[in-house]
Structures are given as C-alpha cells and as structure tokens.
Amino acid sequence: MLVLAIESSCDETAVALVRGSGEILASEISTQIELHRPYGGVVPELASRNHNLALRPLVERALENAGVELGAVDVFAATAGPGLASSLLVGNTTAKALALATRKPFVPVNHMEGHLLSPFMGDPEGIRPCVALIVSGGHTLLIHLRGHGDYRLLGTTRDDAAGEAFDKVGKMLGLPYPGGPVIDARARRGNPAAHDFPRSMLGSGDFHFSFSGLKTAVFYQLEKLPPPLEDATVDDLCAAFQEAVVDVLTGKTLAAAHATGERLVTLSGGVSCNHRLREAMRAACDAAGLELRIAEPRYCTDNAAMIGFVAATQQGLVADPTLLSQDIDPNLRLAGG
Ligand code: KG4
Ligand code: ZN
C-alpha cells in the first residue's frame, strides 16, 4: 500500500509518500517561518494562502523524488486537526480532491497521533506499549500508549504548552520567532544555575504541567536587570529557563513510566529537537534502566511523513467513502487531551 500524505495544520506545508510497512519514500516540507517572523507568530490568513501556493509543486516534487506516478498511490491522507481551520482546509481539500479524481480512499489523520507514533518510524519492532511525552507548540501531553490505537491520557498542561513557553520567553528576551530553537542555541553558552526558576507542579503527584508561572518568573527577573541586556545575561536566562522546563518534563515522564510500569519511553513534537531535553531524558532513562526512543530530528517538528505513517500503519484500513465528507476539526483531541 502506498500513501500520499499532506500536512498543513500550522505554518509548514508538507507532503510525504509512505509505503505500507512505514517506509518513507519522500518527505517534502516547505516552511513559512520567515514569512511569519516579522509578526512574531503565525498569521492564519497568510498561512492558508501560502499553503495554497506551496501544495501543488510540493505534491509533484514528492512524487518525483519517490519515483512514483500519482496513479500508483493507493490512499490519500491529510491532517484533519488540531490546527488552524483555514490551514487544515487547504491540505484536507487537496487530499480529498486527489482521492476523488483517482477513485482512491481518503483517510483523515489526527496530527497529535502523528507526533505520538513518530518515534516508531523505522523501528523494526513496530509500535509498542510505552509512556509517550509529546511536546509541541500547541500541546504538552503525557500518554500511556497501551497498543495500536489504545491511548490513555495521563496528563496535559494547565496553561501554556512547552513550545509556547519557549516562544513567549523568546519574545520577552527580544529573540527572533520561533523562540524554541534560538533559546536552545543560546542556552548552550549560558549557565543554567545563574537563576533559580520554579519547577512548577513537579511535586504535584499527578502528571499535569504548568508553564505560565515559569514564564512570569522570567518576566520579573528581566524587570530587575538594567537594559540593555548583555549577550551573556541573555544566554544565562535562556539556560536557566530551559533547565527548569527540562527538569519538569523529565521528572514527570519518569514518574509516569514508574506508575504505569512501562519500560519504554518515547519523546516527540517540536520541542523534542531541544538538545538539553534529549540529553537529560537520555540520562534519566539510562539511570532508571528504561529504553528511550526519540523521533528523528527531521520528524520532531511538523512533517507529513508522520501523517502518512499513521495512515499506513492503521490496521484493517478499509475504503470508507463517508470519510470524504468528514469535516476538519481545529480542536480535535487525542485521548481527551
Ligand atoms: O511540533 P511542532 O513543529 O508544531 C506544533 O505542532 O506545534 O512544534 C513547534 C514548537 C515551537 O514552539 C518551537 O519553538 C518548538 O517546537 N521547538 C523547540 C526547538 N525546536 C522547535 N523548542 C525548544 N528547543 C528546540 N530546539
Ligand atoms: Zn505539530
């Protein structure tokens, strides 16, 4: 089975071709980051207009790079949510139109299930029970994956998502959008012990998160520092903020692994590109004798390969014509999270 998948939930337009076994034949991404940078965030109208412009050439490039004809595609998949309504519509409508024109099935995919399963792409052992931490720009989810399609939400954020906190703190520090990768780079030169920021809810006894208090703590710390900020001061603030986020994410994930008895931990979503999070999670899992699988960096941030992977690994995938009339859902949830 050959799947052509489209992702357009936010500011990346992406097309991938995935074989039934989960083999990625092509994964094309056109990012709009530069376009949105002057506004300090994603402008929905700009995003959807540019998905429209980018999508057709991207489909052609993916087919060419995979060395397959459109007629060889067996299933068309697209992200149905969560995400920006006007952006989701572009990818969804395109995939549905291609499915209709070629008389092939259309499969809607939950973007968060894409992130959830991305650590298993290329894993010869396939999808296995685990505790999964998904950290993206819009979500922070701890999920107990008990089997294929059997997901239980353990915890989520009470306020900002981890990526959102990175981006907002980046903005406060006058760094370019998106703040996450910039803070990651600046933190490498900084001292994480330079400021003592709160580890909110680390001892709450549940698996929920909160990052807005940490964001406020950075704000008050900034107020105390006379401008202009020296580069070394910004580096220290980045390192100390990042360390607080990483401590909470690793602490809660390890506690969830302990509570569920799972021996496998997975990490995915844009924030899992973060070098310190990857390093700290690796050290914590090693110390606890747990296996850790992290999505490959190119599949951590938004991509269509993970969307195609979800469709390709769906068991008993059957042609269901009613899916063609299924609407997008900007608030689509995964396991209630
Ligand atoms: O998964 P993703 O590409 O999109 C969503 O589904 O939201 O995640 C984007 C988020 C942004 O908030 C971005 O700042 C963050 O991932 N991010 C990072 C890093 N790379 C991307 N955060 C921290 N460190 C990074 N290296
Ligand atoms: Zn995402």
Side-chain angles (χ1 to χ4, degrees), residues 9 12 111-112 115 135-139 163-164 166-167 178-181 184 242 269-271 273-275 300-302:
S9 64
E12 326 277 2
H111 180 84
M112 299 316 294
H115 280 307
V135 270
S136 71
H139 295 81
E164 194 179 353
F166 268 96
D167 296 341
D184 187 354
Q242 177 178 276
V271 182
C273 285
N274 185 272
H275 88 279
C300 284
T301 46
D302 289 348

Side-chain angles (χ1 to χ4, degrees), residues 93-108:
T93 312
T94 305
K96 284 174 179 170
L98 288 168
L100 261 178
T102 56
R103 297 173 191 277
K104 299 287 170 59
F106 166 76
V107 176

